[in-house]
């Protein structure tokens, strides 16, 4: 008997287009669950009619095909795979229907021809396809009913991560690149390397239908603290055996480096790097995801919902050991999903924090934690809600430690932590403030109720302004220049008041590690009633230049102690030094596969010369990451221009991101937006 089946045409072009995966690949099949797709079975002859013959479809899932699924040819079994068929001339079109809760992953598919009595007559060579989450399908637990939001949270390969400080927000462009070549394979490789998958892959596969399980696994796997995770975190400024966290401009080089190194951790990341990588993986898998920055984020090391600062009698910091700290900002992601594992009311955005801070169930991961549970103070709901609640709601408490060890609480402030929680708007390159999703208005009755419910003491001590008030302002702070910081002490009372004022400036990292004190000034003053005293601190590059961190951030701390009372007023301001921008010029029209040249220029803003200058360039659909080294010194005020040529690979609106790094100046960024056309489109432009 001659064979009847000659092969399967997966119709990648048509299927990928209708499943919105055509950006990922056109030569492999990538489909989303809960949405049908069709393949064509090619035959050498007409298949003899039933009842003598029957077609069956077999799917395998898992590294070693451990999970086998027989696909039925009727729709009776609700919630199971099934297929329908339509016979054509010498071909059969098979339409496969996957359940909306099917495990995501790499499937292999075989078509089997059976005789009337169930004997296997022949079968096709197996073909593979990826099945992803489907936020366009209303039965999928990641369903998001807004095309505008999906354009951003699934399909946008470029984004913005927010840094700086709450009152001076700075932006870092990031290349997610979730549809770049082979990224989807690496995302599943990350899942396959999780401890649960290595321990029991059948159970892991069964759980991969759940976005709660998959997203929690990803937050644990993005950091390399416990497992074969992707990125190793480091905050101490010593990055010479890897890549400094500030140098990355996107996730793809990190994921590729991890995969090519056989699962060796990539050095080094900090919170925005973990966040960018997690966002790439989750968007790629089909879970709507956005990057969040929480300003003045509490890093509360003993879970008492307060951040405690300790000072001695001389007002020097004596917070030993693992001290509570307030990070200028902290980044995490939110992913959109139903929470069938929780009581009603907690679907929607979930916090997932891939930065290794605290262990959860024994591993460094955090989430998914419903944003709504944080807002309502429901700290008993999983996962990790008390930790997230504290990051956005802790009190700042200041203590004086006397020589005999006695501690006295001198102030408590509930307004400084968790400010301007920000994400990129879906309507363009600007921020959307989402603080109201996380908390009720400051000082409202509802806020008090939530605090009570979360077991947080509602502090009354020194909440209102006392007699003396303290304000800090500063002139424009441009990296490399000298600038003034003005500290104003205002006396709202009726009597003249004596006080001691101590002002220090410190070079800090974004997560409050002190890299060096720049200046300290102590003044005894008398502030007349209803008047203000102004103190000026001049910050000089000669002082801060030597110790400023790669985050180019100065923290000015002012402590005011009235002479006659055990009371301290603390004010802190974080000043991100303004960085120069890189200028990028692209002159020609951008056309797929045609060479394009970018001219990148940089001017040294510092009064000292730079060495080891290197530019890094990348962009989804434009070019993979490339380095361009500069030679010799770059003198103060000197301009450097480099040329970079590349061939765009995909049409559409694309961004080229550039970073400049050197021995003294790091984290200088630039970007250029280009519209890439196909050769066909280019011919049609300007004909009308």
């Amino acid at each position: 008997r001659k064979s009847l089946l000659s092969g399967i045409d997966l119709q990648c072009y048509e299927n990928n287009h209708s499943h919105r995966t055509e950006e990922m690949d056109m030569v492999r099949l990538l489909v989303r669950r809960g949405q049908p797709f069709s393949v064509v079975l090619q035959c050498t002859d007409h298949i003899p009619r039933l009842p003598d013959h029957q077609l069956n479809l077999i799917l395998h899932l898992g590294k070693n095909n451990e999970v086998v699924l027989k696909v039925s040819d009727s729709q009776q079994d609700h919630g199971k795979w099934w297929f329908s068929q339509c016979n054509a001339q010498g071909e059969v079109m098979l339409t496969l229907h996957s359940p909306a809760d099917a495990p995501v992953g790499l499937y292999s598919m075989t078509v089997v021809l059976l005789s009337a009595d169930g004997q296997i007559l022949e079968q096709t060579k197996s073909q593979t396809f990826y099945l992803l989450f489907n936020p366009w399908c209303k039965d999928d637990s990641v369903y998001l009913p807004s095309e505008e939001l999906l354009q951003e949270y699934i399909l946008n390969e470029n984004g913005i991560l927010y840094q700086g400080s709450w009152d001076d927000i700075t932006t870092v462009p990031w290349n997610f690149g979730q549809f770049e070549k082979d990224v989807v394979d690496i995302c599943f490789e990350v899942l396959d390397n999780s401890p649960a998958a290595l321990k029991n892959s059948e159970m892991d596969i069964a759980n991969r239908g759940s976005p709660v399980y998959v997203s929690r696994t990803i937050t644990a796997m993005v950091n390399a603290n416990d497992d074969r995770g992707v990125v190793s975190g480091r905050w101490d400024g010593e990055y010479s055996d890897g890549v400094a966290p500030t140098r990355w401009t996107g996730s793809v080089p990190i994921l590729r480096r991890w995969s090519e190194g056989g699962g060796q951790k990539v050095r080094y990341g900090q919170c925005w790097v973990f966040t960018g990588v997690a966002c790439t993986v989750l968007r790629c898998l089909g879970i709507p995801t956005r990057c969040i920055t929480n300003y003045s984020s509490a890093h509360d090391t003993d879970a008492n919902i307060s951040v405690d600062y300790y000072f001695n009698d001389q007002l020097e910091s004596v917070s030993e050991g693992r001290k509570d700290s307030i990070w200028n900002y902290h980044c995490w992601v939110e992913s959109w999903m139903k929470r069938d594992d929780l009581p009603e009311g907690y679907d929607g955005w979930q916090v997932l924090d891939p930065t290794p801070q605290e262990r959860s169930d024994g591993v460094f991961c955090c989430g998914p934690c419903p944003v709504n549970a944080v807002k309502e103070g429901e700290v008993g709901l999983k996962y990790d809600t008390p930790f997230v609640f504290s990051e956005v709601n802790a009190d700042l408490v200041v203590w004086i430690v006397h020589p005999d060890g006695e501690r006295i609480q001198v102030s408590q402030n509930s307004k400084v932590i968790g400010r301007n929680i920000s994400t990129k708007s879906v309507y363009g390159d600007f921020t959307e403030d989402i603080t109201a999703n996380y908390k009720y208005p400051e000082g409202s009755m509802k806020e008090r109720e939530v605090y009570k419910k979360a077991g947080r003491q509602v502090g009354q001590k020194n909440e209102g302004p006392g007699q003396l008030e303290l304000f800090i302002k500063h002139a424009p702070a441009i990296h490399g220049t000298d600038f003034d910081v003005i500290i104003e002490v205002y006396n709202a009372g009726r009597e003249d008041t004596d006080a001691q004022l101590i002002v220090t400036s410190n070079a800090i990292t974004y997560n409050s590690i002190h890299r060096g004190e720049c200046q300290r000034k102590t003044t005894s003053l008398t502030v007349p009633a209803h008047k203000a005293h102004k103190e000026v601190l001049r910050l000089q590059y000669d002082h801060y230049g030597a110790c400023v961190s790669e985050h180019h951030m100065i923290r000015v701390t002012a402590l005011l102690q009235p002479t006659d009372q055990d009371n301290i007023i603390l004010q802190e301001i974080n000043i991100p030094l303004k960085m120069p921008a890189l200028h990028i010029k692209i002159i020609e029209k951008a056309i797929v596969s045609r060479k394009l040249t970018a001219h990148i220029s940089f001017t040294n803003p510092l009064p000292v010369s730079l060495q080891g200058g290197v530019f890094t360039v990348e962009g989804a659909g434009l070019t993979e990451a490339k380095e361009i080294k500069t030679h010799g010194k770059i003198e103060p005020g000197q301009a450097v221009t480099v040329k970079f040529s590349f061939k765009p690979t995909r049409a559409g609106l694309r961004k080229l991101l550039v970073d400049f790094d050197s021995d003294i100046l790091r984290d200088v960024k630039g970007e250029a937006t280009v519209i890439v056309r196909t050769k066909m489109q280019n011919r049609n432009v300007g004909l009308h």
Side-chain angles (χ1 to χ4, degrees), residues 61-67 103-104 191-208 213:
L61 186 56
K63 266 264 169 44
N64 311 307
N65 296 334
E66 43 273 62
V67 178
V104 296
L191 285 175
D192 290 341
N193 272 284
S194 77
L198 296 171
K199 196 165 129 196
N200 180 343
S201 71
E202 262 177 80
M203 206 148 105
D204 175 65
I205 287 165
N207 283 322
R208 279 193 199 179
Y213 176 84

Side-chain angles (χ1 to χ4, degrees), residues 247-311:
R247 279 190 60 192
W248 303 110
T249 46
S251 312
V252 181
I254 295 173
L255 289 165
R256 286 199 178 132
R257 189 177 283 209
W258 174 80
S259 173
E260 286 158 13
Q264 286 290 313
K265 59 188 177 191
V266 177
R267 307 183 172 111
Y268 287 105
Q270 288 170 1
C271 71
W272 70 92
V273 179
F274 295 113
T275 296
V277 172
C279 184
T280 295
V281 175
L282 293 162
R283 281 186 186 180
C284 184
L285 296 174
I287 301 175
T289 302
R290 60 188 188 179
C291 296
I292 308 298
T293 300
N294 175 38
Y295 287 96
S296 303
S297 191
H299 192 98
D300 165 29
T301 50
D302 47 13
N304 59 354
I305 320 197
S306 72
V307 170
D308 299 295
Y309 281 11
Y310 296 99
F311 294 95

Side-chain angles (χ1 to χ4, degrees), residues 313-315 468 487 489 496-503 520-528 533-536 559-564:
D313 289 0
Q314 275 66 57
L315 299 193
L468 294 182
I487 296 91
V489 182
D496 299 0
T497 306
D498 295 333
Q500 188 186 40
L501 174 68
I502 295 178
V503 184
R520 169 183 280 262
K521 188 174 186 182
T522 306
T523 322
S524 293
L525 42 114
T526 302
V527 192
H533 172 92
K534 277 194 178 143
E535 199 63 43
V536 177
L559 287 158
L560 183 69
Q561 188 168 31
T563 316
D564 57 348

Side-chain angles (χ1 to χ4, degrees), residues 41-61:
L41 178 65
Q42 290 153 335
C43 311
T44 50
D45 212 339
H46 279 292
I47 289 191
R49 290 212 160 269
L50 297 165
D52 6 330
H53 291 80
Q54 195 188 347
L55 286 177
N56 259 355
L57 256 163
I58 310 288
L59 299 177
H60 284 98
L61 186 56

